[in-house]
Amino acid sequence: MSPSLPSAHATTTTTPETSATTLTVDVLGRGGDGLAYDRDGCLTVVPGALPGETVLARLDDLHMAPRRATLLAVESASPERVTPPCPLFARCGGCAVQHLALPAALNWKAATVRQALAQAGFAETCEVSLSQAPAGARRRMDIGVRRTTQGLTLGFHARGGDLLDVRHCLVLAPALDRLLTPLHDLMIRVRGLRRDGDVVVNLLDSGPDILVRTDGALTVDDRALLAAFARAHDIPRIAWAPVDQREPAEIAAQIAPVRHRLAGHAVVPPPGAFLQATADSEAAIRDAVLAMLPPRLAARDEIIELYAGCGTLTFGLAERGRVLAVEGNPDAATCLKQAAGGLRISVLQRDLNRQPLMARELAAKPVVVLDPPRMGAGAQMREIASGAPQRVVYVSCNPQALTKDAALLKAAGYSLAALTIIDQFVWSAEVEAIALFTAPPAKRARRR
Protein backbone atom coordinates (compact mmCIF):
# COMPACT_ATOMS: atom_id res chain seq x y z
CA MET A 1 0.00 0.00 0.00
CA SER A 2 1.37 3.36 -0.92
CA PRO A 3 1.34 5.36 2.32
CA SER A 4 0.11 8.85 2.88
CA LEU A 5 3.54 10.28 3.51
CA PRO A 6 2.63 12.78 6.25
CA SER A 7 1.25 9.91 8.37
CA ALA A 8 4.34 7.72 8.04
CA HIS A 9 7.01 8.35 10.65
CA ALA A 10 10.27 6.95 11.89
CA THR A 11 12.85 7.75 14.49
CA THR A 12 16.39 7.16 13.32
CA THR A 13 19.70 6.92 15.08
CA THR A 14 23.02 6.11 13.47
CA THR A 15 25.41 3.63 15.03
CA PRO A 16 28.87 4.77 13.84
CA GLU A 17 30.69 1.58 14.72
CA THR A 18 28.38 -0.51 12.54
CA SER A 19 27.40 2.12 9.90
CA ALA A 20 23.84 1.03 10.55
CA THR A 21 20.69 3.01 11.20
CA THR A 22 17.86 2.31 13.61
CA LEU A 23 14.48 2.85 11.96
CA THR A 24 10.94 2.68 13.28
CA VAL A 25 8.66 1.41 10.54
CA ASP A 26 5.11 2.69 10.21
CA VAL A 27 3.53 1.04 7.17
CA LEU A 28 3.88 -1.75 4.63
CA GLY A 29 4.49 -0.65 1.07
CA ARG A 30 2.60 -1.94 -1.95
CA GLY A 31 5.05 -4.80 -2.44
CA GLY A 32 5.03 -5.92 1.21
CA ASP A 33 8.20 -4.07 2.31
CA GLY A 34 8.40 -1.89 5.40
CA LEU A 35 8.53 1.87 4.82
CA ALA A 36 10.25 4.37 7.10
CA TYR A 37 12.24 7.60 6.96
CA ASP A 38 16.00 7.47 7.35
CA ARG A 39 18.23 9.92 9.21
CA ASP A 40 18.03 12.41 6.32
CA GLY A 41 14.23 12.36 6.28
CA CYS A 42 14.12 10.32 3.07
CA LEU A 43 11.56 7.57 2.51
CA THR A 44 13.31 4.24 2.91
CA VAL A 45 12.22 0.76 1.84
CA VAL A 46 13.19 -1.99 4.29
CA PRO A 47 12.34 -5.48 2.98
CA GLY A 48 11.42 -7.86 5.80
CA ALA A 49 10.36 -5.14 8.27
CA LEU A 50 6.82 -4.79 9.61
CA PRO A 51 4.81 -1.80 10.83
CA GLY A 52 5.56 -0.80 14.42
CA GLU A 53 8.94 -2.52 14.47
CA THR A 54 12.23 -0.93 15.43
CA VAL A 55 14.91 -2.39 13.19
CA LEU A 56 18.60 -2.07 12.56
CA ALA A 57 19.22 -1.54 8.85
CA ARG A 58 22.02 -0.61 6.48
CA LEU A 59 21.30 2.05 3.86
CA ASP A 60 22.35 0.53 0.55
CA ASP A 61 22.18 3.38 -1.97
CA LEU A 62 21.95 7.00 -0.86
CA HIS A 63 21.27 8.18 -4.42
CA MET A 64 18.04 6.25 -4.98
CA ALA A 65 14.58 7.63 -4.32
CA PRO A 66 13.09 6.05 -2.36
CA ARG A 67 16.19 4.71 -0.66
CA ARG A 68 16.59 1.01 0.01
CA ALA A 69 17.99 -0.62 3.10
CA THR A 70 19.05 -4.10 4.16
CA LEU A 71 17.48 -5.41 7.34
CA LEU A 72 20.22 -6.40 9.80
CA ALA A 73 18.22 -7.09 12.95
CA VAL A 74 14.75 -6.66 14.43
CA GLU A 75 15.24 -4.85 17.73
CA SER A 76 11.55 -4.63 18.66
CA ALA A 77 9.31 -7.09 16.83
CA SER A 78 5.70 -6.63 15.82
CA PRO A 79 3.24 -8.96 17.58
CA GLU A 80 2.10 -9.92 14.06
CA ARG A 81 5.54 -11.22 13.07
CA VAL A 82 5.77 -14.99 12.52
CA THR A 83 8.55 -17.33 11.45
CA PRO A 84 8.43 -17.77 7.64
CA PRO A 85 7.70 -21.44 6.93
CA CYS A 86 9.77 -21.57 3.70
CA PRO A 87 13.59 -21.58 3.86
CA LEU A 88 13.70 -19.72 0.53
CA PHE A 89 11.51 -16.85 1.74
CA ALA A 90 14.26 -14.23 1.96
CA ARG A 91 15.38 -15.00 -1.61
CA CYS A 92 12.32 -16.10 -3.60
CA GLY A 93 10.24 -13.35 -5.14
CA GLY A 94 7.03 -15.35 -5.10
CA CYS A 95 6.15 -14.69 -1.46
CA ALA A 96 6.45 -11.21 0.04
CA VAL A 97 4.85 -11.48 3.48
CA GLN A 98 5.48 -14.94 4.94
CA HIS A 99 6.78 -13.14 8.04
CA LEU A 100 3.34 -11.55 8.61
CA ALA A 101 0.54 -13.51 10.31
CA LEU A 102 -2.17 -14.46 7.84
CA PRO A 103 -5.01 -12.47 9.50
CA ALA A 104 -2.81 -9.37 9.49
CA ALA A 105 -1.90 -9.99 5.85
CA LEU A 106 -5.57 -10.13 4.91
CA ASN A 107 -6.24 -6.86 6.73
CA TRP A 108 -3.27 -5.22 4.99
CA LYS A 109 -4.53 -6.32 1.59
CA ALA A 110 -8.02 -5.11 2.42
CA ALA A 111 -6.57 -1.71 3.35
CA THR A 112 -4.72 -1.68 0.02
CA VAL A 113 -7.98 -2.15 -1.88
CA ARG A 114 -9.84 0.43 0.21
CA GLN A 115 -7.08 2.96 -0.41
CA ALA A 116 -7.16 2.23 -4.15
CA LEU A 117 -10.88 2.99 -4.19
CA ALA A 118 -10.41 6.08 -2.02
CA GLN A 119 -7.82 7.37 -4.48
CA ALA A 120 -10.43 6.90 -7.21
CA GLY A 121 -12.84 9.07 -5.19
CA PHE A 122 -14.85 6.36 -3.43
CA ALA A 123 -14.27 7.30 0.19
CA GLU A 124 -17.73 6.17 1.29
CA THR A 125 -18.18 3.07 3.37
CA CYS A 126 -20.05 0.05 2.02
CA GLU A 127 -20.64 -3.59 2.84
CA VAL A 128 -17.29 -5.44 2.76
CA SER A 129 -16.72 -9.19 2.77
CA LEU A 130 -13.26 -10.74 3.40
CA SER A 131 -11.90 -14.24 2.77
CA GLN A 132 -8.50 -15.90 2.51
CA ALA A 133 -7.27 -19.02 0.73
CA PRO A 134 -5.10 -21.54 2.60
CA ALA A 135 -1.54 -22.38 1.68
CA GLY A 136 -0.99 -25.49 -0.43
CA ALA A 137 -4.01 -24.88 -2.66
CA ARG A 138 -2.58 -23.05 -5.69
CA ARG A 139 -3.58 -24.95 -8.83
CA ARG A 140 -1.56 -23.00 -11.38
CA MET A 141 2.19 -22.48 -11.64
CA ASP A 142 4.28 -20.58 -14.16
CA ILE A 143 7.93 -21.47 -13.69
CA GLY A 144 11.00 -20.24 -15.52
CA VAL A 145 13.69 -22.47 -16.99
CA ARG A 146 17.26 -21.49 -17.86
CA ARG A 147 20.15 -23.57 -19.18
CA THR A 148 23.69 -22.34 -18.54
CA THR A 149 27.15 -23.89 -18.59
CA GLN A 150 26.65 -24.60 -14.87
CA GLY A 151 23.50 -26.65 -15.46
CA LEU A 152 19.74 -26.09 -15.49
CA THR A 153 17.70 -23.87 -13.17
CA LEU A 154 13.94 -24.35 -12.88
CA GLY A 155 11.84 -22.31 -10.51
CA PHE A 156 10.69 -18.81 -9.64
CA HIS A 157 12.42 -15.49 -9.92
CA ALA A 158 14.36 -14.25 -6.91
CA ARG A 159 13.76 -10.79 -5.53
CA GLY A 160 16.79 -9.55 -7.42
CA GLY A 161 15.35 -10.85 -10.69
CA ASP A 162 17.54 -13.93 -11.25
CA LEU A 163 15.93 -17.33 -11.57
CA LEU A 164 15.98 -19.35 -8.35
CA ASP A 165 16.03 -23.13 -8.43
CA VAL A 166 12.98 -24.44 -6.54
CA ARG A 167 12.19 -28.08 -5.79
CA HIS A 168 9.47 -27.55 -3.17
CA CYS A 169 6.86 -24.80 -2.79
CA LEU A 170 4.42 -24.52 0.11
CA VAL A 171 2.03 -22.40 -1.94
CA LEU A 172 1.34 -25.06 -4.56
CA ALA A 173 -1.22 -27.83 -4.43
CA PRO A 174 0.59 -31.13 -3.67
CA ALA A 175 0.00 -32.50 -7.18
CA LEU A 176 1.90 -29.54 -8.66
CA ASP A 177 4.56 -29.44 -5.95
CA ARG A 178 5.41 -33.07 -6.68
CA LEU A 179 6.15 -32.19 -10.31
CA LEU A 180 8.93 -29.65 -9.64
CA THR A 181 11.80 -32.13 -9.45
CA PRO A 182 10.56 -34.37 -12.31
CA LEU A 183 10.13 -31.28 -14.52
CA HIS A 184 13.67 -30.19 -13.70
CA ASP A 185 14.99 -33.61 -14.71
CA LEU A 186 12.87 -33.54 -17.88
CA MET A 187 13.95 -30.10 -19.06
CA ILE A 188 17.64 -30.99 -18.69
CA ARG A 189 17.12 -33.47 -21.52
CA VAL A 190 14.96 -31.32 -23.84
CA ARG A 191 17.21 -30.19 -26.68
CA GLY A 192 14.73 -27.56 -27.82
CA LEU A 193 15.65 -25.62 -24.69
CA ARG A 194 18.77 -23.75 -25.72
CA ARG A 195 18.86 -21.15 -22.95
CA ASP A 196 15.51 -19.76 -21.77
CA GLY A 197 12.03 -21.19 -21.50
CA ASP A 198 9.12 -21.62 -19.13
CA VAL A 199 6.59 -24.22 -18.06
CA VAL A 200 2.96 -23.45 -17.25
CA VAL A 201 0.97 -26.10 -15.40
CA ASN A 202 -2.76 -25.94 -14.67
CA LEU A 203 -4.25 -28.48 -12.30
CA LEU A 204 -7.47 -29.45 -14.07
CA ASP A 205 -10.04 -32.01 -13.00
CA SER A 206 -8.33 -34.50 -15.31
CA GLY A 207 -4.91 -33.83 -13.76
CA PRO A 208 -1.96 -31.52 -14.46
CA ASP A 209 -2.06 -29.90 -17.89
CA ILE A 210 1.36 -28.75 -19.09
CA LEU A 211 2.47 -26.09 -21.59
CA VAL A 212 6.20 -26.04 -22.33
CA ARG A 213 7.74 -23.01 -24.04
CA THR A 214 11.30 -23.16 -25.35
CA ASP A 215 13.60 -20.92 -27.38
CA GLY A 216 14.24 -23.68 -29.89
CA ALA A 217 12.10 -26.14 -31.83
CA LEU A 218 11.39 -29.54 -30.34
CA THR A 219 13.29 -32.44 -31.84
CA VAL A 220 11.84 -35.88 -32.52
CA ASP A 221 13.61 -37.11 -29.40
CA ASP A 222 12.12 -34.23 -27.39
CA ARG A 223 8.62 -35.26 -28.38
CA ALA A 224 9.34 -38.84 -27.36
CA LEU A 225 10.63 -37.56 -24.01
CA LEU A 226 7.47 -35.54 -23.43
CA ALA A 227 5.27 -38.52 -24.29
CA ALA A 228 7.21 -40.74 -21.90
CA PHE A 229 6.95 -38.09 -19.17
CA ALA A 230 3.19 -37.87 -19.69
CA ARG A 231 2.80 -41.63 -19.31
CA ALA A 232 5.10 -41.82 -16.28
CA HIS A 233 3.30 -39.05 -14.37
CA ASP A 234 -0.29 -39.47 -15.62
CA ILE A 235 -0.28 -36.15 -17.47
CA PRO A 236 -3.20 -36.16 -19.94
CA ARG A 237 -1.71 -33.49 -22.24
CA ILE A 238 1.58 -31.71 -22.83
CA ALA A 239 1.61 -28.82 -25.31
CA TRP A 240 4.51 -26.81 -26.72
CA ALA A 241 4.96 -23.29 -28.06
CA PRO A 242 7.92 -21.02 -28.87
CA VAL A 243 8.86 -18.90 -25.87
CA ASP A 244 9.11 -15.66 -27.86
CA GLN A 245 5.91 -15.97 -29.89
CA ARG A 246 2.20 -15.84 -29.13
CA GLU A 247 1.08 -18.28 -31.78
CA PRO A 248 -1.24 -21.13 -30.71
CA ALA A 249 0.37 -23.99 -28.85
CA GLU A 250 0.61 -27.39 -30.51
CA ILE A 251 -0.06 -30.67 -28.76
CA ALA A 252 3.26 -32.46 -28.27
CA ALA A 253 1.87 -35.45 -26.36
CA GLN A 254 -1.59 -36.55 -25.26
CA ILE A 255 -2.41 -39.80 -23.52
CA ALA A 256 -5.93 -39.06 -22.22
CA PRO A 257 -8.77 -36.54 -22.62
CA VAL A 258 -8.54 -33.19 -20.89
CA ARG A 259 -11.55 -32.26 -18.79
CA HIS A 260 -12.48 -29.57 -16.33
CA ARG A 261 -15.69 -28.16 -14.86
CA LEU A 262 -16.59 -24.53 -14.29
CA ALA A 263 -19.71 -24.01 -12.17
CA GLY A 264 -20.66 -27.60 -12.97
CA HIS A 265 -20.23 -27.28 -16.77
CA ALA A 266 -17.64 -29.29 -18.71
CA VAL A 267 -15.01 -27.33 -20.62
CA VAL A 268 -11.77 -28.25 -22.39
CA PRO A 269 -9.41 -25.36 -21.58
CA PRO A 270 -6.66 -24.61 -24.10
CA PRO A 271 -3.06 -25.19 -22.98
CA GLY A 272 -1.93 -22.51 -20.54
CA ALA A 273 -5.47 -21.18 -20.08
CA PHE A 274 -6.19 -18.70 -17.30
CA LEU A 275 -7.61 -20.20 -14.12
CA GLN A 276 -8.27 -18.51 -10.80
CA ALA A 277 -5.50 -19.41 -8.37
CA THR A 278 -7.52 -21.79 -6.19
CA ALA A 279 -10.79 -23.65 -6.61
CA ASP A 280 -12.25 -22.18 -3.42
CA SER A 281 -11.35 -18.65 -4.50
CA GLU A 282 -12.94 -19.24 -7.89
CA ALA A 283 -16.17 -20.20 -6.16
CA ALA A 284 -15.93 -17.20 -3.80
CA ILE A 285 -15.43 -14.80 -6.71
CA ARG A 286 -18.35 -16.31 -8.61
CA ASP A 287 -20.60 -16.13 -5.53
CA ALA A 288 -19.65 -12.50 -4.95
CA VAL A 289 -20.38 -11.56 -8.56
CA LEU A 290 -23.76 -13.32 -8.52
CA ALA A 291 -24.72 -11.57 -5.28
CA MET A 292 -24.05 -8.21 -6.95
CA LEU A 293 -26.41 -8.80 -9.89
CA PRO A 294 -29.81 -7.07 -9.99
CA PRO A 295 -32.28 -9.03 -7.84
CA ARG A 296 -34.60 -9.49 -10.82
CA LEU A 297 -33.82 -9.62 -14.52
CA ALA A 298 -36.51 -9.48 -17.18
CA ALA A 299 -36.59 -12.08 -19.95
CA ARG A 300 -35.33 -9.51 -22.45
CA ASP A 301 -32.49 -8.33 -20.21
CA GLU A 302 -28.96 -9.34 -21.12
CA ILE A 303 -25.94 -9.57 -18.84
CA ILE A 304 -22.82 -8.25 -20.58
CA GLU A 305 -19.70 -10.12 -19.50
CA LEU A 306 -16.37 -8.73 -20.71
CA TYR A 307 -13.05 -10.63 -20.64
CA ALA A 308 -14.97 -13.86 -20.12
CA GLY A 309 -12.06 -16.28 -20.58
CA CYS A 310 -13.13 -19.93 -20.71
CA GLY A 311 -16.26 -19.23 -18.65
CA THR A 312 -15.16 -18.93 -15.03
CA LEU A 313 -18.12 -16.59 -14.37
CA THR A 314 -20.17 -17.16 -17.50
CA PHE A 315 -21.98 -20.35 -16.52
CA GLY A 316 -23.00 -18.98 -13.15
CA LEU A 317 -24.26 -15.78 -14.79
CA ALA A 318 -26.32 -17.82 -17.27
CA GLU A 319 -28.29 -19.28 -14.37
CA ARG A 320 -29.56 -15.77 -13.70
CA GLY A 321 -30.22 -14.51 -17.23
CA ARG A 322 -29.09 -14.29 -20.85
CA VAL A 323 -25.37 -13.60 -21.20
CA LEU A 324 -23.29 -12.00 -23.93
CA ALA A 325 -19.77 -13.22 -23.12
CA VAL A 326 -16.96 -11.31 -24.86
CA GLU A 327 -13.41 -12.68 -24.93
CA GLY A 328 -10.38 -11.59 -26.94
CA ASN A 329 -8.30 -14.75 -26.88
CA PRO A 330 -9.39 -16.98 -29.80
CA ASP A 331 -8.62 -20.26 -28.02
CA ALA A 332 -10.50 -19.26 -24.87
CA ALA A 333 -13.46 -17.99 -26.89
CA THR A 334 -13.59 -21.26 -28.84
CA CYS A 335 -13.47 -23.24 -25.58
CA LEU A 336 -16.40 -21.24 -24.21
CA LYS A 337 -18.42 -21.57 -27.42
CA GLN A 338 -18.03 -25.34 -27.43
CA ALA A 339 -19.21 -25.60 -23.81
CA ALA A 340 -22.10 -23.11 -24.10
CA GLY A 341 -24.35 -25.11 -26.40
CA GLY A 342 -27.96 -25.17 -25.24
CA LEU A 343 -27.36 -22.52 -22.58
CA ARG A 344 -28.40 -18.88 -22.48
CA ILE A 345 -24.92 -17.79 -23.58
CA SER A 346 -23.82 -15.97 -26.72
CA VAL A 347 -20.05 -15.78 -27.21
CA LEU A 348 -18.32 -12.97 -29.10
CA GLN A 349 -14.60 -13.19 -29.86
CA ARG A 350 -13.36 -9.59 -29.82
CA ASP A 351 -10.20 -7.79 -28.74
CA LEU A 352 -11.60 -5.26 -26.30
CA ASN A 353 -8.36 -3.28 -26.19
CA ARG A 354 -8.57 -2.53 -29.91
CA GLN A 355 -12.32 -2.77 -30.41
CA PRO A 356 -14.22 -2.13 -27.18
CA LEU A 357 -17.96 -2.44 -26.93
CA MET A 358 -19.24 1.07 -27.48
CA ALA A 359 -21.25 3.17 -25.03
CA ARG A 360 -24.43 2.85 -27.09
CA GLU A 361 -24.18 -0.97 -26.87
CA LEU A 362 -23.97 -0.78 -23.07
CA ALA A 363 -26.37 2.07 -22.30
CA ALA A 364 -29.57 0.04 -21.87
CA LYS A 365 -28.01 -2.85 -19.98
CA PRO A 366 -28.94 -3.68 -16.39
CA VAL A 367 -25.43 -4.92 -15.56
CA VAL A 368 -21.94 -5.19 -17.02
CA VAL A 369 -19.55 -7.71 -15.45
CA LEU A 370 -15.86 -7.46 -16.27
CA ASP A 371 -12.72 -9.27 -15.15
CA PRO A 372 -10.03 -7.39 -17.08
CA PRO A 373 -6.33 -8.26 -17.36
CA ARG A 374 -3.85 -6.96 -14.83
CA MET A 375 -3.38 -3.60 -16.56
CA GLY A 376 -7.08 -2.86 -16.40
CA ALA A 377 -9.84 -2.25 -18.93
CA GLY A 378 -8.35 0.78 -20.72
CA ALA A 379 -10.47 2.07 -23.58
CA GLN A 380 -13.28 -0.33 -22.69
CA MET A 381 -13.68 1.30 -19.30
CA ARG A 382 -14.19 4.71 -20.89
CA GLU A 383 -17.02 3.29 -22.97
CA ILE A 384 -18.61 1.69 -19.89
CA ALA A 385 -18.49 4.97 -17.99
CA SER A 386 -19.97 6.82 -20.95
CA GLY A 387 -22.71 4.24 -21.56
CA ALA A 388 -23.61 4.20 -17.86
CA PRO A 389 -25.24 0.75 -17.46
CA GLN A 390 -27.23 0.44 -14.25
CA ARG A 391 -24.65 -1.75 -12.48
CA VAL A 392 -20.96 -2.44 -13.06
CA VAL A 393 -19.43 -5.47 -11.34
CA TYR A 394 -15.65 -5.14 -11.55
CA VAL A 395 -13.32 -8.06 -10.69
CA SER A 396 -9.84 -6.71 -10.01
CA CYS A 397 -6.45 -8.37 -9.48
CA ASN A 398 -4.52 -5.08 -9.36
CA PRO A 399 -5.39 -2.19 -7.01
CA GLN A 400 -3.51 0.31 -9.19
CA ALA A 401 -5.59 -0.59 -12.25
CA LEU A 402 -8.70 -0.53 -10.07
CA THR A 403 -7.92 3.06 -9.05
CA LYS A 404 -7.56 4.14 -12.68
CA ASP A 405 -10.70 2.42 -13.93
CA ALA A 406 -12.88 3.22 -10.91
CA ALA A 407 -12.00 6.92 -11.23
CA LEU A 408 -13.82 6.95 -14.59
CA LEU A 409 -16.92 5.54 -12.92
CA LYS A 410 -16.69 8.12 -10.15
CA ALA A 411 -16.53 10.91 -12.70
CA ALA A 412 -19.67 9.46 -14.33
CA GLY A 413 -21.54 9.64 -11.02
CA TYR A 414 -21.38 6.01 -9.89
CA SER A 415 -21.49 4.96 -6.23
CA LEU A 416 -19.68 2.06 -4.56
CA ALA A 417 -22.37 -0.29 -3.26
CA ALA A 418 -20.54 -3.48 -2.17
CA LEU A 419 -17.03 -4.87 -1.99
CA THR A 420 -15.56 -8.37 -1.60
CA ILE A 421 -11.84 -8.83 -0.96
CA ILE A 422 -10.22 -12.24 -1.40
CA ASP A 423 -6.64 -13.15 -0.53
CA GLN A 424 -6.26 -16.02 -2.95
CA PHE A 425 -2.53 -15.38 -3.49
CA VAL A 426 -1.51 -16.24 0.07
CA TRP A 427 1.84 -14.79 1.28
CA SER A 428 2.17 -12.62 -1.84
CA ALA A 429 1.39 -8.93 -2.23
CA GLU A 430 -1.42 -9.73 -4.69
CA VAL A 431 -5.10 -9.34 -3.86
CA GLU A 432 -8.42 -9.96 -5.61
CA ALA A 433 -11.34 -7.57 -5.23
CA ILE A 434 -14.90 -7.59 -6.55
CA ALA A 435 -16.64 -4.21 -6.46
CA LEU A 436 -20.22 -3.27 -7.28
CA PHE A 437 -20.75 0.21 -8.70
CA THR A 438 -24.26 1.58 -9.24
CA ALA A 439 -25.28 4.36 -11.61
CA PRO A 440 -26.82 7.57 -10.22
CA PRO A 441 -30.62 7.49 -9.81
CA ALA A 442 -31.19 10.01 -12.60
CA LYS A 443 -29.50 7.78 -15.17
CA ARG A 444 -31.33 4.70 -13.91
CA ALA A 445 -34.65 6.54 -14.12
CA ARG A 446 -34.09 7.51 -17.77
CA ARG A 447 -33.87 3.82 -18.71
CA ARG A 448 -37.22 2.85 -17.18
Side-chain angles (χ1 to χ4, degrees):
M1 179 174 65
S2 178
S4 175
L5 296 184
S7 69
H9 64 274
T11 58
T12 69
T13 58
T14 303
T15 308
E17 62 272 17
T18 61
S19 299
T21 298
T22 300
L23 303 171
T24 301
V25 181
D26 191 67
V27 293
L28 278 185
R30 186 178 291 117
D33 298 327
L35 298 182
Y37 288 105
D38 64 22
R39 60 180 178 266
D40 299 322
C42 295
L43 184 64
T44 304
V45 179
V46 191
L50 295 175
E53 293 187 331
T54 301
V55 301
L56 190 66
R58 182 186 68 243
L59 299 178
D60 294 329
D61 192 337
L62 300 180
H63 303 290
M64 294 181 64
R67 292 178 176 176
R68 294 192 66 84
T70 298
L71 178 65
L72 301 177
V74 178
E75 297 182 338
S76 176
S78 165
E80 294 167 340
R81 176 176 286 276
V82 296
T83 301
C86 178
L88 296 177
F89 168 64
R91 299 167 56 201
C92 182
C95 292
V97 290
Q98 275 195 3
H99 58 313
L100 180 63
L102 286 175
L106 177 59
N107 290 334
W108 166 59
K109 293 186 181 188
T112 301
V113 173
R114 290 190 185 100
Q115 183 172 17
L117 289 166
Q119 289 174 341
F122 294 98
E124 66 265 32
T125 59
C126 69
E127 178 186 349
V128 180
S129 173
L130 301 178
S131 67
Q132 188 171 49
R138 189 80 61 85
R139 59 179 180 176
R140 176 182 172 87
M141 66 177 178
D142 191 341
I143 47 181
V145 188
R146 173 165 293 178
R147 190 193 302 279
T148 67
T149 55
Q150 286 74 43
L152 185 124
T153 301
L154 180 145
F156 307 111
H157 286 278
R159 295 192 180 186
D162 293 333
L163 199 61
L164 181 69
D165 203 55
V166 176
R167 304 299 177 87
H168 175 52
C169 178
L170 296 171
V171 168
L172 296 175
L176 298 188
D177 184 56
R178 289 192 295 268
L179 283 176
L180 288 172
T181 294
L183 283 170
H184 179 277
D185 297 342
L186 169 70
M187 296 308 295
I188 288 176
R189 303 172 63 193
V190 173
R191 296 180 182 177
L193 178 70
R194 297 168 182 168
R195 177 177 168 79
D196 291 312
D198 60 68
V199 180
V200 178
V201 188
N202 279 328
L203 184 56
L204 306 180
D205 292 342
S206 54
D209 186 48
I210 298 178
L211 170 61
V212 175
R213 297 192 186 100
T214 62
D215 53 359
L218 293 182
T219 67
V220 173
D221 288 342
D222 289 340
R223 295 176 186 276
L225 276 173
L226 294 178
F229 185 87
R231 290 191 294 270
H233 297 278
D234 294 324
I235 309 295
R237 178 177 70 182
I238 301 179
W240 172 83
V243 74
D244 57 350
Q245 297 182 31
R246 294 300 176 188
E247 61 190 49
E250 63 176 76
I251 306 304
Q254 183 155 3
I255 64 169
V258 171
R259 52 183 172 76
H260 194 64
R261 299 187 77 81
L262 295 172
H265 294 267
V267 298
V268 182
F274 171 79
L275 290 180
Q276 294 294 346
T278 74
D280 287 347
S281 295
E282 176 189 289
I285 293 170
R286 183 169 55 246
D287 290 347
V289 169
L290 295 179
M292 294 177 182
L293 296 180
R296 289 181 299 276
L297 289 169
R300 61 181 178 81
D301 286 336
E302 185 175 52
I303 300 169
I304 303 295
E305 183 195 9
L306 307 178
Y307 311 98
C310 295
T312 299
L313 301 175
T314 314
F315 299 106
L317 293 173
E319 295 174 2
R320 297 285 299 275
R322 295 189 302 116
V323 181
L324 173 62
V326 187
E327 169 55 37
N329 181 278
D331 292 335
T334 298
C335 167
L336 183 51
K337 285 180 182 178
Q338 292 173 343
L343 302 175
R344 295 185 294 179
I345 299 171
S346 300
V347 181
L348 175 62
Q349 196 266 303
R350 183 162 167 173
D351 186 340
L352 295 173
N353 293 325
R354 298 181 179 181
Q355 191 183 7
L357 263 64
M358 304 305 291
R360 63 180 180 275
E361 301 175 84
L362 303 170
K365 302 304 179 183
V367 60
V368 171
V369 177
L370 68 157
D371 185 0
R374 182 170 179 79
M375 296 309 295
Q380 180 61 78
M381 201 66 202
R382 291 191 289 274
E383 295 298 326
I384 293 172
S386 179
Q390 297 174 28
R391 295 187 180 210
V392 176
V393 180
Y394 189 112
V395 182
S396 166
C397 64
N398 182 356
Q400 290 175 280
L402 177 61
T403 295
K404 179 179 61 177
D405 287 345
L408 296 173
L409 295 177
K410 183 65 177 180
Y414 278 79
S415 299
L416 177 64
L419 179 63
T420 294
I421 298 169
I422 301 172
D423 181 12
Q424 68 166 328
F425 304 98
V426 64
W427 292 328
S428 79
E430 307 299 326
V431 61
E432 199 84 13
I434 305 94
L436 168 62
F437 301 95
T438 55
K443 293 186 178 182
R444 292 200 297 267
R446 284 199 296 270
R447 292 183 178 85
R448 288 198 285 266

